[in-house]
Each structure stands twice: as structure tokens, then as C-alpha cells.
Amino acid sequence: MNKTLKLNLKMLVFALFLVVIDQISKYAAIIALKGKNDFHIIKDVLLLHYLDGGNRGAAWGMFSGKILMFIIFTLIAIFFICVFSRNVNLLYQKTNNKIFLILNIFLSMLLAGAVGNLIDRVVRGYVVDFIYFKPINFPVFNVADCYVTISCIGIVLLCILRINEEDFNTIISLKKH
């Protein structure tokens, strides 16, 4: 098995591991929080609050009820994440630059977040949200949402601060390199 394939498999296993953590956390939230009082992790700051009825939309409930649209959009996003990850792995193999390894970790997190919420939409018809940050009245969210947020910030920062234009163009190319 060549190095690139091994690295692709490692990133996929990492993403699957994160999906399992996300799904376990959602299952635990349903069992422990549904129909019950909030659980305060940090009083008046961070609490676990089961969003009854679930999130049937995207961020902050946008496009509520458009499940088929979300499924199609997510499948397209997953395709592009996989292509970009393959390209990043090839750049890493070629240059041995650890920035590409870090970028691929972020892409794996993004993939895990997309798949975690996709599973909810397909299985339940809504996304299970249960984490609430009270001081700014932030919408209730979940572990997969954390993966997406953290990975997007990391990807943007790496692309702006550490990746040159030529490598960026290679990453987003749909051509096989």
C-alpha cells in the first residue's frame, strides 16, 4: 500500500472516529436530556439543553424543513472535501510540509461534522442539538457543529497565512495530480 493511500485511510479513520463521538454524544443527549431540566456545566454560561423537536434547518434554523436540499448539499460538500483531502495528501507526500498534515486534519474534522449532521437528517429528520452557550444567547448546537466551526476557522487561517497560491490552486483542483 502506498504512502498516500495509507494517509488517506488514516484521515478517513480519524473522521469516522469523530463521527462516532458525535453520534454517541447525540444519543446520550436524547437519553439524558430529552424532557428533563437543563444540566449546567458552568452555571449561567454553558449548559446542556435538549432542543425539543430538533433543528430541522441549517445554522440557526435557516431553511427549516428542506431536508432533501441539505442531504444533496452535504453529499456534494463531502465529495469536494474528499477531493481536497486527496490533493492535500499528495502535496504532503511531495513536500513533507506538516502544514498539509494539519490542513488534512481540519478537512477530516469538516468531513466528520458534515457526516454527523447528515446521519441525523437521514435517520431522525432533524439534527440533535443540545449544547447552549448562555451569555450571548448563542443558538443550541452539537459536537458536529463544533467540528465544522473549528475546522473552517483552521482551514481559512492556514489558507490565508501559510499556504501559497500555487499550492492552494493544487488543493482546490478537481484534476488528479
Side-chain angles (χ1 to χ4, degrees):
M1 186 180 310
N2 70 34
K3 286 182 180 182
T4 304
L5 182 58
K6 279 184 187 178
L7 191 53
N8 287 337
L9 287 174
K10 285 180 184 178
M11 292 296 119
L12 182 60
V13 168
F14 176 62
L16 290 174
F17 173 73
L18 294 178
V19 169
V20 168
I21 290 171
D22 170 67
Q23 291 299 302
I24 288 171
S25 72
K26 290 173 180 171
Y27 179 75
I30 292 168
I31 298 301
L33 300 171
K34 188 174 184 177
K36 297 183 178 133
N37 291 333
D38 296 342
F39 179 80
H40 293 261
I41 296 172
I42 302 172
K43 188 170 173 50
D44 294 326
V45 176
L46 184 63
L47 54 120
L48 301 179
H49 166 82
Y50 182 80
L51 186 60
D52 200 28
N55 178 356
R56 297 183 187 279
W60 303 289
M62 292 186 303
F63 306 110
S64 187
K66 309 275 189 212
I67 291 178
L68 182 59
M69 179 187 77
F70 286 116
I71 291 171
I72 292 168
F73 176 77
T74 304
L75 291 173
I76 292 167
I78 288 169
F79 168 78
F80 282 106
I81 293 166
C82 291
V83 169
F84 298 160
S85 180
R86 178 202 65 198
N87 294 345
V88 169
N89 280 338
L90 290 170
L91 280 170
Y92 176 66
Q93 293 300 316
K94 195 183 306 182
T95 65
N96 207 30
N97 185 340
K98 299 283 189 228
I99 291 301
F100 297 122
L101 187 59
I102 295 167
L103 181 58
N104 222 343
I105 290 169
F106 285 134
L107 287 168
S108 294
M109 288 176 66
L110 184 59
L111 178 64
V115 170
N117 284 339
L118 176 65
I119 290 169
D120 282 12
R121 286 190 176 95
V122 170
V123 171
R124 293 182 184 88
Y126 64 90
V127 175
V128 174
D129 286 333
F130 61 93
I131 303 168
Y132 180 60
F133 190 66
K134 192 173 182 177
I136 58 172
N137 195 25
F138 197 80
V140 182
F141 57 98
N142 61 50
V143 173
D145 296 335
C146 294
Y147 299 157
V148 171
T149 302
I150 292 166
S151 64
C152 284
I153 291 168
I155 290 166
V156 167
L157 288 175
L158 284 177
C159 287
I160 291 171
L161 301 174
R162 300 297 305 266
I163 296 175
N164 65 45
E165 187 175 350
E166 181 183 339
D167 289 341
F168 179 79
N169 289 335
T170 300
I171 291 167
I172 64 168
S173 171
L174 295 179
K175 293 185 218 168
K176 195 165 185 174
H177 299 275

